[in-house]
Amino acid sequence: MLNITEPSSSISLASSYLSNGSSAYHAPVSAPSSHARSPAPECGTNLEVLSLSKLSSNLGCLLLDTEFDCTDAEIMVEGTPVGVHRCILAARSRFFRDLFSQEGSGGGSRPEGKPTYEMDKLVPSGRVGREAFTAFLSYLYTGKLKSAPPEVSICVDRLCPHDTCRPAIDCAVELLYASSVFQITELVSLLQRRLLNFVEKALVEDVIPILQVASHSKLNQLLSNCVQRVARSDLDDVAIEKELPPEVVEEIRTLRRKSQPKESNGVADPIHEKRIKTIHRALDCDDVELVKLLLSESGVTLDDACALHYAAAYCDSKVVAELLDLNSANVNLKNDRGYTPLHVAAMRREPAVIVSLLTKGASALDTTADGENAVTICRRLTRAKDYYTRTEQGQESNKNKLCIEILEREMRSSIAVEDSVTSPLFADDTHMKLFYLENRVAFARLFFPAEAKLAMEIAHADTTSEFTDLPASRSAGNLREVDLNETPVVQKKRLRARVEALTKTVELGRRYFPHCSQVLDNFLEENLPEPFYLQKGTPDEQKLKKLRFCELKENVRNAFNKDKVESLFSGLSSSSSSSPAGEGNHQRLVRN
């Protein structure tokens, strides 16, 4: 966790506010030696320290005062405006002085007249989040670097000491990007020393962002340490080439060649390696058909190329699904580092990729050489802020949180997925089964939008005929409409494809979102065939339907409360986006 506070920096920085000339743009000057000047009286020194401390505190209050806003510019960070005082930023940073002094310096005009600047444009080479920028401003105003907020500097792994986990590293890296671009040399030096401590203790994957910022900021000592650490590690060449600048990649290769025993040089088959790279390039182009052709002509298998690992790390989720559909790769294959494709997907934190692998038999219990399983990997990479913060109404669940919940449920699941997902009453009737499934999925999308969307993408239900209106009887009726140009065989095939896609969607819902599914099961069994035309029927019938709908909303809340109680024992926080989003949709539907 970022926690850097050096008392001397406070005095030096505060002194720069009182000095004149250009010294404010350079690192603080050390105090004169004792032989150059007789020491000042102790009381005078204490008064100076007290005065500078008070100045620092007063300037810091400018960032905290919400009643009186005297900021004269705004910087948009992650879509939120952060107020700043241009005089202070210009006095401390040559970058901001040049920015503010330029005519039409890229700032737009807001209604209240404050110029605005986009952080993404100011720091195009790296990400700087709101919390990191706030810490940066605090340093500029007060001369003190405060500890980073826990919600952005610790992960959600209960066993992690939080000294070298990814959120702690990312927080320091973001602050270093800001300090380097905005030319605050003393803070750059401070953060470089901090990140040097991370390099040897952190996992090699987490050293990559440190290496990237060191390369961009030309911090030679930090860069050298990172390069040596990566060169000594077992990080594969593919990951290195994907993540790092070409000159850094070449330096790492040179170090590795020097460290390899002479007898091991040249063991790899260059033709075989070239064929593997060709397969990877085809995956980069999302061309699974080309991959199939290359496999048939080259004699290289998907497992030889670790193609599933590669796709799980770098390709679109649909490419991963298509690759899995070839049924020619071992979904639990471990690469040279002992990682399965699911481990790699957990590092990427893409829910659709994780679910695709799980549905094809990937084991959530498999561990790496370090004893970490997929959910542990995902937890170690997830900030507390992303996991515990309640999602606002209408927004989807955070991807990191959704990945953790999916993997947790998979690990806890000891009951096989039910063979049948529809009521026995409709088992032999394709149209009635379709009618049931359309209702089932339509309400899942209404009540639990993020989860239902994910399940439909994996099941490819979004590629078959899909109906957005809630009343499913109208949708099913469209499916049963007769097309004079469509033969009975084609029509049956079309209906069957839709049933299979929706069936898979419901299976996924049962598997990964059991409480949500149970609510829908109970409700639909009691209310078929069409209870949801709330605007139809007599006033008394409409009133009864609305009352029943209110009961369903209460059942939804109870299901989420049950999830929350279970989550307390596994460190989960059940605050899914679906509940608030669903409630808003419920209200709109009832009003209709």
Side-chain angles (χ1 to χ4, degrees):
M1 183 167 59
L2 184 62
N3 186 1
I4 314 167
T5 304
E6 295 192 1
S8 61
S9 66
S10 175
I11 299 176
S12 299
L13 181 56
S15 298
S16 71
Y17 289 122
L18 304 178
S19 63
N20 51 24
S22 61
S23 61
Y25 300 108
H26 303 290
V29 180
S30 58
S33 59
S34 58
H35 66 270
R37 185 180 64 182
S38 59
E42 183 177 352
C43 60
T45 302
N46 291 337
L47 286 175
E48 181 182 358
V49 172
L50 181 62
S51 175
L52 294 177
S53 177
K54 186 175 181 179
L55 173 61
S56 171
S57 177
N58 290 340
L59 290 173
C61 288
L62 293 175
L63 295 172
L64 304 175
D65 193 348
T66 57
E67 295 182 0
F68 177 65
D69 180 14
C70 60
T71 61
D72 59 358
E74 292 180 338
I75 297 179
M76 299 296 294
V77 187
E78 298 178 336
T80 304
V82 178
V84 297
H85 304 80
R86 286 181 290 176
C87 59
I88 295 180
L89 267 61
R92 288 288 292 125
S93 164
R94 188 176 297 277
F95 174 93
F96 281 113
R97 190 192 69 171
D98 294 341
L99 177 68
F100 298 147
S101 64
Q102 294 173 3
E103 292 184 2
S105 57
S109 179
R110 293 177 65 86
E112 60 270 27
K114 293 182 181 179
T116 61
Y117 306 86
E118 295 287 343
M119 179 61 71
D120 292 342
K121 295 180 180 178
L122 298 179
V123 189
S125 54
R127 178 186 181 278
V128 176
R130 180 179 176 83
E131 290 79 9
F133 185 58
T134 301
F136 172 80
L137 287 179
S138 177
Y139 183 82
L140 287 192
Y141 281 58
T142 69
K144 301 175 183 177
L145 185 57
K146 299 179 180 179
S147 298
E151 63 268 19
V152 296
S153 59
I154 66 172
C155 67
V156 294
D157 181 6
R158 297 184 301 278
L159 301 179
C160 180
H162 306 307
D163 53 351
T164 58
C165 61
R166 186 60 173 267
I169 291 175
D170 285 345
C171 192
V173 164
E174 289 178 19
L175 190 51
L176 180 54
Y177 266 120
S179 306
S180 173
V181 172
F182 301 147
Q183 303 174 22
I184 308 299
T185 56
E186 65 270 22
L187 186 54
V188 170
S189 177
L190 201 63
L191 292 167
Q192 181 177 209
R193 293 197 299 272
R194 174 61 173 166
L195 287 172
L196 281 170
N197 295 329
F198 281 134
V199 172
E200 293 302 325
K201 296 189 293 183
L203 296 175
V204 66
E205 294 90 352
D206 297 335
V207 174
I208 296 299
I210 302 177
L211 199 159
Q212 290 170 335
V213 69
S215 175
H216 172 267
S217 304
K218 302 187 186 312
L219 304 175
N220 294 332
Q221 183 183 2
L222 183 60
L223 178 61
S224 176
N225 283 29
C226 289
V227 167
Q228 292 178 33
R229 171 69 200 284
V230 173
R232 294 195 307 268
S233 73
D234 59 355
L235 191 64
D236 57 271
D237 292 338
V238 172
I240 293 173
E241 292 174 1
K242 282 281 186 179
E243 302 288 345
L244 300 176
E247 62 275 10
V248 176
V249 173
E250 185 57 36
E251 186 176 354
I252 292 172
R253 285 176 176 169
T254 301
L255 289 175
R256 284 184 167 180
R257 284 194 296 266
K258 290 179 179 179
S259 63
Q260 288 177 347
K262 293 183 178 180
E263 57 270 15
S264 66
N265 292 333
V267 170
D269 181 359
I271 297 179
H272 183 76
E273 293 296 321
K274 183 177 180 180
R275 289 171 176 171
I276 289 176
K277 288 184 178 180
T278 304
I279 292 174
H280 289 172
R281 284 197 293 270
L283 289 172
D284 287 334
C285 298
D286 298 344
D287 196 339
V288 178
E289 289 299 321
L290 178 57
V291 171
K292 291 166 62 176
L293 180 63
L294 292 171
L295 293 174
S296 62
E297 292 183 349
S298 65
V300 176
T301 67
L302 289 177
D303 290 346
D304 292 338
C306 284
L308 210 48
H309 293 79
Y310 187 91
Y314 306 113
C315 297
D316 186 85
S317 59
K318 291 186 178 180
V319 174
V320 176
E322 291 177 14
L323 206 59
L324 287 166
D325 288 339
L326 297 180
N327 296 318
S328 57
N330 179 3
V331 74
N332 290 310
L333 176 72
K334 290 191 174 183
N335 61 13
D336 293 340
R337 303 189 65 213
Y339 288 1
T340 67
L342 187 61
H343 294 148
V344 176
M347 293 179 187
R348 180 179 174 182
R349 289 159 289 167
E350 178 56 52
V353 175
I354 289 175
V355 174
S356 291
L357 291 167
L358 290 173
T359 55
K360 286 293 186 177
S363 172
L365 299 176
D366 281 357
T367 60
T368 66
D370 297 328
E372 292 190 339
N373 54 37
V375 72
T376 305
I377 292 172
C378 202
R379 279 181 167 276
R380 185 180 55 79
L381 296 171
T382 301
R383 303 185 303 177
K385 174 184 177 181
D386 297 330
Y387 186 77
Y388 293 112
T389 301
R390 183 180 179 85
T391 308
E392 296 296 331
Q393 181 174 347
Q395 294 181 352
E396 294 187 353
S397 298
N398 179 271
K399 280 189 174 183
N400 292 12
K401 177 181 178 180
L402 196 54
C403 289
I404 293 173
E405 290 178 340
I406 290 170
L407 291 167
E408 286 278 5
R409 291 188 187 282
E410 178 67 15
M411 293 186 67
R412 294 200 306 263
S413 178
S414 57
I415 301 175
V417 180
E418 297 176 26
D419 294 333
S420 172
V421 296
T422 63
S423 170
L425 296 174
F426 312 132
D428 299 324
D429 189 325
T430 301
H431 288 101
M432 289 302 291
K433 181 184 290 187
L434 183 59
F435 176 82
Y436 173 87
L437 290 169
E438 290 285 1
N439 265 310
R440 181 69 169 67
V441 173
F443 279 100
R445 294 179 64 192
L446 175 64
F447 299 142
F448 318 108
E451 293 82 349
K453 178 183 177 183
L454 175 61
M456 292 187 72
E457 288 178 353
I458 298 302
H460 302 299
D462 55 341
T463 60
T464 61
S465 300
E466 186 177 349
F467 308 95
T468 56
D469 291 339
L470 178 64
S473 59
R474 200 162 46 199
S475 303
N478 289 341
L479 277 173
R480 295 195 295 271
E481 286 181 358
V482 177
D483 185 347
L484 296 178
N485 296 320
E486 186 178 58
T487 65
V489 174
V490 174
Q491 183 187 32
K492 186 176 293 186
K493 183 177 180 180
R494 174 172 60 87
L495 295 178
R496 189 181 298 115
R498 181 63 175 165
V499 168
E500 290 175 355
L502 292 174
T503 298
K504 187 175 180 182
T505 300
V506 176
E507 286 178 346
L508 290 170
R510 287 184 183 279
R511 184 174 183 179
Y512 298 110
F513 314 111
H515 295 298
C516 303
S517 297
Q518 189 62 47
V519 171
L520 295 179
D521 288 344
N522 296 338
F523 189 70
L524 291 176
E525 288 292 339
E526 297 174 4
N527 290 274
L528 281 174
E530 54 175 0
F532 299 111
Y533 288 110
L534 302 185
Q535 71 276 22
K536 290 188 176 182
T538 64
D540 290 339
E541 289 174 345
Q542 292 183 35
K543 184 177 181 180
L544 287 175
K545 291 177 181 179
K546 291 179 180 179
L547 287 175
R548 184 66 186 97
F549 206 88
C550 290
E551 291 178 10
L552 177 60
K553 290 168 60 179
E554 184 63 29
N555 290 340
V556 169
R557 293 192 189 96
N558 291 337
F560 276 101
N561 288 336
K562 187 175 181 181
D563 276 332
K564 186 173 182 179
V565 170
E566 286 187 358
S567 299
L568 290 176
F569 296 98
S570 60
L572 297 175
S573 175
S574 175
S575 56
S576 173
S577 66
S578 6
S579 180
E583 288 182 10
N585 291 333
H586 299 169
Q587 295 167 0
R588 287 194 294 273
L589 182 61
V590 171
R591 285 196 297 269
N592 292 333

